[in-house]
Every structure is written in structure tokens, then in C-alpha cells.
């Protein structure tokens, strides 16, 4: 089968081209094979992403010239996973294949960087000039060195080395040099800890799941600081001892450098790290190190799930509840769910870890699909932080005006700083204020392409749209009525930092958000300074919420817990509970017990009470009842079909037309909501309308959608996206 191969060529990765498969190559060409093809008079390298019997361009087809390499680049099971993703998430197979094979690996240009290495040749060195003698002495002392290093060290040109090479005293040769993304960071190797009792039990359950037939998925529910990472490390140790490999997914690698370092510290060079900050060359090298079996432990964000690890024994998904595991472009896969699927295809155990598991995973435990391992105590029985909830409405009443910092938080701050302890303050909104309004006529600066107000960024002196990034200088006066006074509503991290500077003039403050962390190294630098005690107060957005472990942090403040709570999304409560618990988990990780102060206008909301009392049940009960009643996840799967286009009426018509035709095809058990404007009704100039479907079986929704999309003729300029198991409803 497969007369025609669909090939993506290296210079145009977004498009595939059809080629004839010569009869002699039929048996060796499969999806995943790298090939050589003629392309506009050149020979290019390409990659087979699909096979077909027919082509729309039959008369113009050229033949594939040859096959590169002995085996397909993508391991068979990863290829199967790509097909599953395409099918389940209603995405073209080409998108799925592109996702499982990084472009850095597909492209020829990205071959391992080869560097010149100089080494001494045995034998008589003869008579040398002064510089030449120094080169020889250096190599005698240090062994073979990069040519570049020799030149730098001696402050000379390459010519004395080249001369020595000609005379046969030294040799200069090309050597493949793996670019190590963590080079330069000193690592102290760690030995396994002796496990706490709960950790040992959890590890026992995981070990059982690793040999059970079929292999099982384990939900490791452990409070912050209970030592989940140590359990992963020791589980991986057993995997390695059996000669197998492991993949560890972390939500955002830039935000979890400490976790990554712990894997490197335990397993050394056997760990490959994949993340978005890598250069193409680094990514290419890491990928091939894994493919060759030199690195058998892979740590990375979402896409590391597709690493070509052979004999996979374990997949760990840390912080499994994190919405960042969902890719927000096609293919819109959820890495946690895809991980469970890869586990099934590979026949390997999957561990999902979290202090605040998603309701989906909790339900899978209830249904007997996953095993549960719980760790309710912190390592060494350190106290869980005490959470105080401050009612900001009462606070405003007392002060006669709303304030950013409550008296309790200010007092706590002073107290901790006096004692030389550190504080983290969290506010999930960057910039200075979320809107700028004229005090006289009420004019608000809104983005011209999106249905949101622009945020004020004081440092930059600009109003910036957080959806499309468009900016404007701050006007000197209201463009509508000419009045010069503006009200700045909805404080962000920039404002928090400014107010804090006045409250604590002597404290050393650092702010961490995507505005201050533009440079690649900035994040690590601030964290290093914080660890070294050069910073007293760390303020920031969710960037500081996750995974950080600083023993001297004894107070964590949440300035406004309501921001997350009032997002128009049925998961708003769940997310608030998770976020508060995560943030709180940063406090009291050392010997001094931690304290958390949460400011809110909704002190009695179940999500906040649940986080305060560390009892997920409080909030779960209420939320689960409502979700079951309305067939929301985890009781059903959810598919969001979004139409967008430049003309509002046309987009709405298209969406409604689609909904009508689909409605006639939907089987029993599918709940279809009426067509609605999306909560973010306009973004980047596009009007957006949505159709939400819910059903216990995804395929009952995706099969008819796929069928209908196949015959759909959309009005010009209208686009449609299908988001299966959507995490963002905006
Ligand atoms: P979690 O990921 O559950 O928040 P961590 O894995 O970060 O917890 O563990 C918290 C701290 O306890 C870390 O500093 C870790 O090195 C330490 N730790 C973990 N397990 C043990 C143990 N068995 N004995 C001593 N220290 C441990
Ligand atoms: Zn905008």
C-alpha cells in the first residue's frame, strides 16, 4: 500500500507535497521515514508524514529519490501515539507527526555541531618556537582540548597550532561535541534519601504497578513538601536497574529549574532535558542522545512525551492538574492524557503526581481505572503552613477605602523581615493596573482588535493589550472629554512592587513576571540571589507559585485570590483551590513553620475554604454535584467548536448553520449548548462564536464533527477550530 507519499520538506515545514513511491521502495517507506526528494531542481531531504493511494496532482508527480537512514526516525509506538492524537483530538495527521518529531531533528541543517579538537601526537616534538612550546605544554598538562580553547587560553592565533599539526606534533580533528544545555551549572551528585513511611508505601504501589499485567496508572496525591520528587527518583532508579528508560513531564520547565536539577544531580549525564529554551542544535543533540540510548531518563515539558526512548518503563507527569499540559494549537492534545495513552501503547506504568489532582484523575481513581497512593504528611513531619484568610471588604470598610495590602499582611511582612526571614507575594496579574479609566466621563482605553481593556504598564509608559500585545502611549488627557485625571483599577505586580517599596524601603525586592523575565537567564539569576539571601521579598505572578523550594521563606501572601475565582469558566473554583494550595506550599519548607495570608472579597467561597482547611472535599462536594447535574467534566468529555472571522454576522451565521446540521447528526447522549459568542468575544480582530458539546464518549461528538468538517464550505475568511477536552473556554 502507499503509491503516494506525503512529504514535508525541510525548507517548508508547514506544507506537505505528494511524491510517487517507486516500486522498489514500497516495502521500506513508512510514515516516519526520512527521504530524499527532487524539489525545484534540487535534492532536498524530507520526511514522510502520510501515505495515500491517490493525489490531486497525479500528472505532475515526481518520484522519491531515495531513503535516508536505516530505520524510520520515529519509533513505531510514538507513531501510533501520533495517530491516536490525530484521531482523538480531530487534528490532521500531519500536525500530529510534526508534533512528535521536533523540527530541529527533521531539518538537515541542524546536525550536531562538530568542533575542532587538538591532541598531542606521541613522539619527538623537535625544535619549537616559544608559542609552539606553550601549546605543547598546555596539551601535556590538560589533555586534548578544543582548538578554540587553546587559542583563548594562550591568547594567540590558530597558526602555531596549525603549524604543529603540519609537522605532525599535534593533530587537529573534527569531533562531535554534544551541546550540553546545562553546561556550566555545577552539580553535586545526590544519593537516594531513606524514605519516610508514606513515601515507601507510595513507592511500593508504583513498583507493583510497574510489573502488573497490564501495567497500571497511579495517581500520587501528596501534599506540598511530602517528597513526591524523591519517590519519582527512586521509581526511576528501579526502572534503570531493569535496563529500561523513563520520561518525566513537568508543567513549564523554565519555572521548575530546581526539579530538573534534582534529576541531573541523581542520574548525571544519563538525563536528557528538553524544553523550549533550547537552541535547535541543542534540541537536535539531546534528541539523538535519547535515540541512541545514551540518555535513558528524559525530563521536559509537554512535548518531551514524544521522546524516542526505547524500552520505556515509566512515565511521570508531575503536577498533573496543570492546564499548561494542554496544547493550545493543533493538535490540541492534553499531555497527561496522551501520556496515559503512550503508557498503554508501550505497556508501561504511568505516575500522575499532584498535591491537588484534577477532578478528572480523581474520578478515574473512583472508577477503578487508576490506583491511588497518598502522602498526607510533609517530609520529617514539618508542619503544613497555616493559612489565614483576610476579608478585604471588611478591611475596606475599616479603612474607608479599598487597599492593596491588609493590616494583617503588612504586620506579617514587617515581622518576618525583622527576623531575617524571606517572603513571597503573589498576584496573578502583571503590569501596573488592568484598566485605565477617565474619572470624569468613564472612558476606558480598550484594545481596537480585542474585547478587553488594555493594561497599564507604568515602567514602559504604555497601555498594552494582554490578548494581542498591541500598545499605545498613555494619553496626557482623556481622548473623549479632555480631562487629565485617570483612575487605575485592578492592581498588578508592578503596582504591588511600587507600594511595597514604600512600605518596606529597606527591603531588597525582586519582581518576577513575564515583563521582568524577558532575558533567558534572568529567572535563574533571581532565584539564585533569592536562595543566597540577597533578596528579602520576591513578588510575582504564577511564575513563583510552582515547585520552588526555599527553606527560609516563612510567609507567603496572596494579594487577590479573586482574580482567578471570577474567570467565566466552570473550572474557576478548581483552579483557585489548586493555585492557593500550590502557592501556600512555598511557605515553611525549612525548620520555621510557614504562614500564608490570603486576601479576598469572597472569604466564604468553598474553593478558598477548602484551600485554607486543606480539605479538598469541601469544595469538591459542591463542584462535583453541579458538574454531574450538568454533565460537565469529569462526568463527561467536552468539545468546543469555535468559529472566527472578521465579520461578526457572518461568523455567527456559519456557527449556527454548523450547529444546526450537526444537531441533526448527533447521537443520543450528546448535550449541545446553544451557539454563543465566546467569553472573549473578539480577539486579534476576529469575532468568535462557540458551540459547546458534552458527552460521556468523545467519539460520539468527534465522529460527526469530523464528517461534517469534511464537507463544510465555509464563507471566505471564516475559520473553525475543534478543541477536544478543552481546558480554556475563553
Ligand atoms: P513535593 O514535590 O512533594 O513538594 P519535594 O520532593 O520537593 O516535595 O520534597 C521536599 C523536600 O524534602 C526536598 O527538599 C527533598 O529533598 C526533601 N526530602 C524528600 N524526601 C526526603 C526524605 N525521605 N528524607 C529527607 N528529606 C527528603
Ligand atoms: Zn488586543
Amino acid at each position: 500500500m502507499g503509491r503516494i507519499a506525503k512529504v514535508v520538506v525541510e525548507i517548508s515545514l508547514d506544507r506537505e507535497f505528494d511524491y510517487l513511491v517507486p516500486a522498489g521502495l514500497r516495502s521500506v517507506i513508512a510514515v516516519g521515514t526520512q527521504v530524499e526528494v527532487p524539489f525545484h531542481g534540487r535534492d532536498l531531504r524530507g520526511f514522510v508524514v502520510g501515505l495515500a493511494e491517490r493525489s490531486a496532482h497525479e500528472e505532475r508527480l515526481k518520484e522519491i529519490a531515495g531513503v535516508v537512514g536505516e530505520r524510520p526516525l520515529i519509533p513505531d509506538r510514538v507513531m501510533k501515539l501520533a495517530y491516536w492524537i490525530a484521531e482523538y483530538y480531530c487534528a490532521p495527521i500531519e500536525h500530529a507527526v510534526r508534533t512528535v518529531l521536533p523540527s530541529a531533528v527533521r531539518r538537515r541543517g541542524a546536525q550536531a555541531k562538530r568542533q575542532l579538537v587538538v591532541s598531542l601526537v606521541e613522539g619527538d616534538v623537535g625544535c619549537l618556537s616559544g608559542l609552539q612550546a606553550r601549546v605543547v605544554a598546555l596539551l601535556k598538562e590538560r589533555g586534548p582540548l578544543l582548538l578554540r580553547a587553546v587559542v583563548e587560553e594562550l591568547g594567540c592565533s590558530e597558526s602555531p597550532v596549525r603549524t604543529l599539526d603540519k609537522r605532525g606534533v599535534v593533530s587537529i580533528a573534527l569531533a562531535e561535541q554534544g551541546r550540553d544545555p546545562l553546561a556550566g551549572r555545577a552539580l553535586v551528585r545526590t544519593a537516594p534519601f531513606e524514605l519516610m513511611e508514606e513515601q515507601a508505601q507510595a513507592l511500593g504501589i508504583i513498583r507493583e504497578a510497574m510489573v502488573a499485567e497490564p501495567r497500571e496508572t497511579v495517581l500520587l496525591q501528596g501534599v506540598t513538601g511530602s517528597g513526591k520528587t524523591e519517590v519519582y527518583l527512586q521509581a526511576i532508579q528501579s526502572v534503570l536497574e531493569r535496563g529500561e528508560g523513563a520520561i518525566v513531564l513537568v508543567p513549564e520547565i523554565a519555572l521548575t529549574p530546581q526539579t530538573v536539577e534534582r534529576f541531573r544531580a541523581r542520574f548525571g549525564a544519563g538525563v536528557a532535558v528538553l524544553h523550549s529554551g533550547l537552541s535547535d542544535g541543542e534540541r537536535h543533540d539531546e534528541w539523538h542522545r535519547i535515540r541512541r540510548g545514551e540518555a535513558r531518563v528524559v525530563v521536559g515539558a509537554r512535548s518531551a512525551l514524544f521522546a524516542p526512548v526505547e524500552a520505556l518503563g515509566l512515565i511521570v507527569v508531575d503536577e498533573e492538574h496543570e492546564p499548561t499540559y494542554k496544547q493550545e494549537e493543533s493538535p490540541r492534545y492534553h499531555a497527561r492524557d496522551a501520556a496515559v495513552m503512550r503508557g498503554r501503547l508501550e505497556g508501561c506504568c504511568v505516575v500522575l503526581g499532584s498535591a491537588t489532582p484534577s477532578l478528572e484523575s480523581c474520578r478515574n481513581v473512583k472508577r477503578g481505572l487508576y490506583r491511588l497512593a497518598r502522602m498526607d504528611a510533609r517530609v520529617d513531619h514539618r508542619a503544613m503552613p497555616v493559612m489565614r484568610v483576610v476579608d478585604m471588604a471588611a478591611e475596606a470598610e475599616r479603612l474607608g477605602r479599598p487597599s492593596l495590602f491588609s493590616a494583617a499582611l503588612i504586620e506579617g511582612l514587617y515581622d518576618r523581615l525583622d527576623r531575617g526571614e524571606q517572603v513571597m507575594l503573589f498576584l496573578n496579574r502583571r503590569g501596573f493596573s488592568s484598566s485605565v479609566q477617565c474619572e470624569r466621563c468613564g472612558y476606558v482605553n480598550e484594545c481596537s482588535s480585542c474585547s478587553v481593556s488594555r493594561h497599564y504598564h507604568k515602567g514602559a509608559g504604555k497601555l498594552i493589550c494582554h490578548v494581542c500585545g498591541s500598545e499605545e502611549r498613555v494619553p496626557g488627557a482623556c481622548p473623549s472629554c479632555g480631562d487629565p485625571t485617570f483612575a487605575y483599577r485592578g492592581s498588578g505586580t508592578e503596582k504591588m512592587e511600587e507600594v511595597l517599596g514604600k512600605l518596606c524601603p529597606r527591603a531588597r525586592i525582586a519582581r518576577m513576571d513575564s515583563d521582568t523575565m524577558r532575558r533567558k537567564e534572568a529567572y535563574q539569576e533571581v532565584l539564585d540571589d533569592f536562595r543566597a539571601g540577597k533578596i528579602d521579598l520576591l513578588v510575582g505572578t504564577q511564575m513563583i507559585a510552582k515547585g520552588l523550594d526555599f527553606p527560609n521563606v516563612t510567609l507567603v501572601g496572596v494579594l487577590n485570590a479573586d482574580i482567578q475565582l471570577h474567570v467565566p469558566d466552570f473550572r474557576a473554583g478548581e483552579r483557585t483551590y489548586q493555585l492557593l494550595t500550590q502557592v501556600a506550599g512555598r511557605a515553611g519548607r525549612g525548620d520555621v513553620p510557614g504562614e500564608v495570608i490570603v486576601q479576598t472579597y469572597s472569604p466564604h467561597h468553598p474553593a478558598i475554604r477548602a484551600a485554607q482547611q486543606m480539605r479538598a472535599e469541601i469544595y469538591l462536594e459542591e463542584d462535583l454535584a453541579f458538574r454531574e447535574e450538568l454533565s460537565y467534566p469529569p462526568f463527561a468529555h467536552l468539545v468546543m467548536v469555535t468559529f472566527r472571522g472578521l465579520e461578526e454576522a457572518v461568523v455567527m451565521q456559519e456557527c449556527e448553520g454548523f450547529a444546526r446540521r450537526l444537531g441533526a447528526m448527533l447521537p443520543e447522549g450528546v448535550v449541545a449548548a446553544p451557539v454563543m459568542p465566546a467569553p472573549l468575544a473578539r480577539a486579534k480582530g476576529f469575532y468568535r462564536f462557540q458551540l459547546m458539546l458534552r458527552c460521556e464518549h468523545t467519539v460520539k461528538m468527534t465522529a460527526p464533527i469530523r464528517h461534517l468538517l469534511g464537507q463544510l464550505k465555509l464563507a471566505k475568511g471564516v475559520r473553525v477550530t475543534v478543541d477536544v477536552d478543552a481546558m480554556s473556554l475563553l
Side-chain angles (χ1 to χ4, degrees):
M1 60 152 268
R3 256 185 78 243
I4 310 283
K6 297 182 174 298
V7 176
V8 183
V9 293
E10 65 195 76
I11 54 167
S12 165
L13 291 162
D14 318 322
R15 271 186 65 193
E16 76 244 21
F17 299 92
D18 289 356
Y19 283 89
L20 284 168
V21 181
L25 291 181
R26 294 259 161 96
S27 58
V28 287
I29 287 186
V31 174
T33 309
Q34 221 180 351
V35 289
E36 194 105 13
V37 292
F39 190 86
H40 292 294
R42 290 198 280 163
D43 271 339
L44 289 184
R45 224 170 247 199
F47 183 73
V48 178
V49 296
L51 292 167
E53 281 309 315
R54 260 179 293 282
S55 164
H57 318 282
E58 288 283 351
E59 66 293 349
R60 293 188 281 131
L61 291 186
K62 298 209 170 89
E63 281 195 344
I64 287 181
V67 170
V68 182
E70 285 144 45
R71 52 180 187 171
L73 267 178
I74 306 180
D76 179 47
R77 284 156 185 170
V78 175
M79 202 59 231
K80 287 203 175 97
L81 184 62
Y83 277 104
W84 176 79
I85 285 178
E87 175 78 30
Y88 185 87
Y89 293 102
C90 278
I93 180 66
E94 293 78 25
H95 290 187
V97 169
R98 261 178 230 139
T99 300
V100 302
L101 191 70
S103 63
V105 178
R106 287 194 305 257
R107 247 173 281 170
R108 177 163 38 185
Q111 270 149 8
K113 189 154 92 196
R114 283 146 71 85
Q115 296 186 307
L116 296 173
V117 173
V118 191
S119 50
L120 214 50
V121 178
E122 297 276 311
D124 188 14
V125 297
C127 183
L128 303 175
S129 76
L131 257 179
Q132 290 169 349
R134 285 172 62 199
V135 172
V136 171
L138 183 69
L139 293 172
K140 268 201 181 123
E141 183 194 329
R142 306 254 296 270
L145 287 173
L146 288 179
L147 176 58
R148 197 165 38 82
V150 174
V151 167
E152 268 167 29
E153 187 90 7
L154 300 180
C156 61
S157 71
E158 287 182 5
S159 87
V161 192
R162 297 272 178 201
T163 311
L164 287 170
D165 179 39
K166 277 196 208 108
R167 286 174 44 187
V169 177
V170 303
S171 81
I172 301 178
L174 271 175
E176 218 165 86
Q177 177 82 10
R179 281 150 291 196
D180 182 351
L182 291 179
R185 291 198 67 81
L187 276 180
V188 183
R189 283 294 273 267
T190 60
F193 283 108
E194 192 173 324
L195 295 181
M196 309 287 296
E197 194 180 317
E198 286 184 326
Q199 285 178 310
Q201 276 166 5
L203 183 62
I205 292 176
I206 294 169
R207 287 214 175 110
E208 278 168 35
M210 286 188 324
V211 294
E213 285 298 344
R215 303 284 190 267
E216 293 170 312
T217 297
V218 178
L219 176 64
L220 176 58
Q221 179 174 3
V223 298
T224 54
S226 59
K228 294 184 286 295
T229 310
E230 185 62 31
V231 174
Y232 306 149
L233 286 167
Q234 298 200 18
I236 292 169
Q237 184 75 47
S238 358
V239 166
L240 291 176
E241 278 160 14
R242 291 158 40 159
E244 297 172 342
I247 295 176
V248 181
L249 300 186
V250 291
E252 276 158 283
I253 216 148
L255 305 188
T256 43
Q258 288 185 324
T259 311
V260 176
E261 273 175 39
R262 282 162 74 182
F263 284 88
R264 292 272 294 200
R266 188 66 56 88
F267 303 118
V271 177
V273 180
L274 297 174
H275 63 86
S276 60
L278 295 185
S279 67
D280 268 6
E282 287 169 336
R283 186 179 303 277
H284 175 277
D285 294 353
E286 288 295 78
W287 197 91
H288 280 285
R289 236 158 53 80
I290 300 163
R291 187 77 172 121
R292 288 193 301 264
E294 289 164 23
R296 285 191 294 141
V297 180
V298 179
V299 183
R302 196 164 60 212
S303 62
L305 174 63
F306 309 113
V309 180
E310 297 281 352
L312 193 56
L314 179 68
I315 306 175
V316 174
V317 184
D318 191 27
E319 309 291 1
E320 64 88 29
H321 63 279
E322 279 291 334
T324 47
Y325 280 124
K326 188 74 161 44
Q327 175 154 297
E328 295 297 349
E329 60 192 58
S330 178
R332 295 180 159 73
Y333 69 97
H334 197 304
R336 175 197 58 219
D337 300 339
V340 172
M341 183 45 71
R342 181 159 184 194
R344 207 175 294 168
L345 292 168
E346 301 265 358
C348 85
C349 169
V350 179
V351 173
L352 312 177
S354 174
T356 53
S358 62
L359 296 191
E360 284 81 355
S361 295
C362 293
R363 179 140 196 273
N364 283 334
V365 169
K366 270 226 177 81
R367 294 165 71 198
L369 299 176
Y370 299 170
R371 287 191 66 177
L372 178 67
R374 278 188 78 141
M375 303 196 296
D376 294 328
R378 281 189 158 180
V379 168
D380 289 338
H381 302 286
R382 284 198 185 111
M384 291 303 291
V386 175
M387 190 184 287
R388 257 170 80 185
V389 175
V390 178
D391 180 354
M392 293 306 276
E395 191 80 9
E397 190 149 327
R398 208 168 50 74
L399 289 174
R401 60 179 167 79
S403 65
L404 188 54
F405 287 86
S406 62
L409 185 53
I410 294 173
E411 193 184 316
L413 208 57
Y414 287 161
D415 192 37
R416 300 294 169 173
L417 291 178
D418 276 350
R419 284 193 252 166
E421 294 163 12
Q422 290 172 304
V423 177
M424 284 168 91
L425 295 175
F426 173 82
L427 181 57
N428 211 2
R429 183 189 280 147
R430 65 196 171 86
F432 189 84
S433 73
S434 62
S435 75
V436 175
Q437 189 171 32
C438 170
E439 292 214 315
R440 182 153 151 246
C441 75
Y443 161 88
V444 174
N445 181 289
E446 275 170 11
C447 177
S448 50
S449 325
C450 310
S451 51
V452 295
S453 61
R454 286 206 183 91
H455 290 230
Y456 175 43
H457 289 249
K458 194 172 182 182
K462 284 176 183 158
L463 297 163
I464 302 176
C465 171
H466 282 191
V467 175
C468 74
S470 71
E471 344 175 309
E472 230 175 68
R473 296 240 133 248
V474 181
C478 174
S480 170
C481 75
D483 194 273
T485 37
F486 291 107
Y488 299 93
R489 292 186 211 290
S491 304
T493 44
E494 212 182 344
K495 168 94 174 278
M496 161 164 76
E497 188 187 17
E498 187 180 293
V499 175
L500 213 49
K502 289 180 190 140
L503 286 172
C504 321
R506 272 183 320 202
R508 293 159 300 175
I509 305 172
R511 169 160 63 99
M512 211 175 233
D513 55 31
S514 49
D515 296 321
T516 58
M517 296 291 119
R518 288 267 155 86
R519 253 181 337 114
K520 199 176 157 190
E521 309 77 24
Y523 188 76
Q524 196 57 52
E525 285 165 15
V526 172
L527 292 186
D528 287 346
D529 283 353
F530 195 48
R531 175 169 303 283
K534 294 182 197 157
I535 294 168
D536 306 306
L537 274 165
L538 184 61
V539 307
T541 54
Q542 70 252 35
M543 264 193 193
I544 62 170
K546 293 166 196 165
L548 299 178
D549 188 1
F550 294 105
N552 198 35
V553 172
T554 54
L555 173 64
V556 168
V558 178
L559 272 88
N560 184 348
D562 306 334
I563 294 179
Q564 195 82 26
L565 202 53
H566 299 307
V567 174
D569 186 320
F570 70 96
R571 288 193 179 92
E574 181 181 356
R575 297 250 171 87
T576 301
Y577 162 72
Q578 288 165 342
L579 198 60
L580 289 180
T581 308
Q582 286 299 330
V583 178
R586 303 309 116 226
R589 295 175 79 92
D591 298 328
V592 184
E595 184 188 11
V596 185
I597 295 179
V598 174
Q599 304 187 151
T600 173
Y601 282 89
S602 321
H604 303 296
H605 192 286
I608 290 177
R609 280 196 299 128
Q612 183 186 18
Q613 299 176 28
M614 288 192 310
R615 283 175 47 215
E617 311 83 75
I618 297 181
Y619 135 77
L620 287 181
E621 260 165 37
E622 187 161 308
D623 230 23
L624 279 176
F626 128 84
R627 292 201 199 180
E628 183 158 28
E629 169 90 21
L630 299 177
S631 299
Y632 271 101
F635 300 97
H637 290 274
L638 182 156
V639 176
M640 188 69 95
V641 187
T642 305
F643 285 72
R644 66 175 202 279
L646 292 170
E647 284 176 67
E648 189 172 12
V650 178
V651 181
M652 188 176 77
Q653 267 169 24
E654 289 289 341
C655 191
E656 282 181 338
F658 181 85
R660 225 175 300 119
R661 287 173 67 190
L662 187 68
M665 297 164 60
L666 288 176
E668 189 106 357
V670 180
V671 182
V675 168
M676 302 262 249
L680 184 59
R682 192 158 171 253
K684 301 178 187 175
F686 292 103
Y687 289 92
R688 308 166 75 242
F689 282 83
Q690 291 180 333
L691 171 64
M692 186 204 276
L693 305 171
R694 303 192 297 278
C695 178
E696 230 176 297
H697 304 286
T698 311
V699 64
K700 284 193 183 175
M701 301 179 278
T702 50
I705 288 175
R706 205 184 263 283
H707 181 80
L708 201 52
L709 286 179
Q711 38 178 264
L712 198 64
K713 294 225 167 37
L714 285 173
K716 201 160 165 261
V718 177
R719 304 248 185 89
V720 57
T721 56
V722 179
D723 192 353
V724 177
D725 294 335
M727 293 302 282
S728 164
L729 306 185
L730 296 181

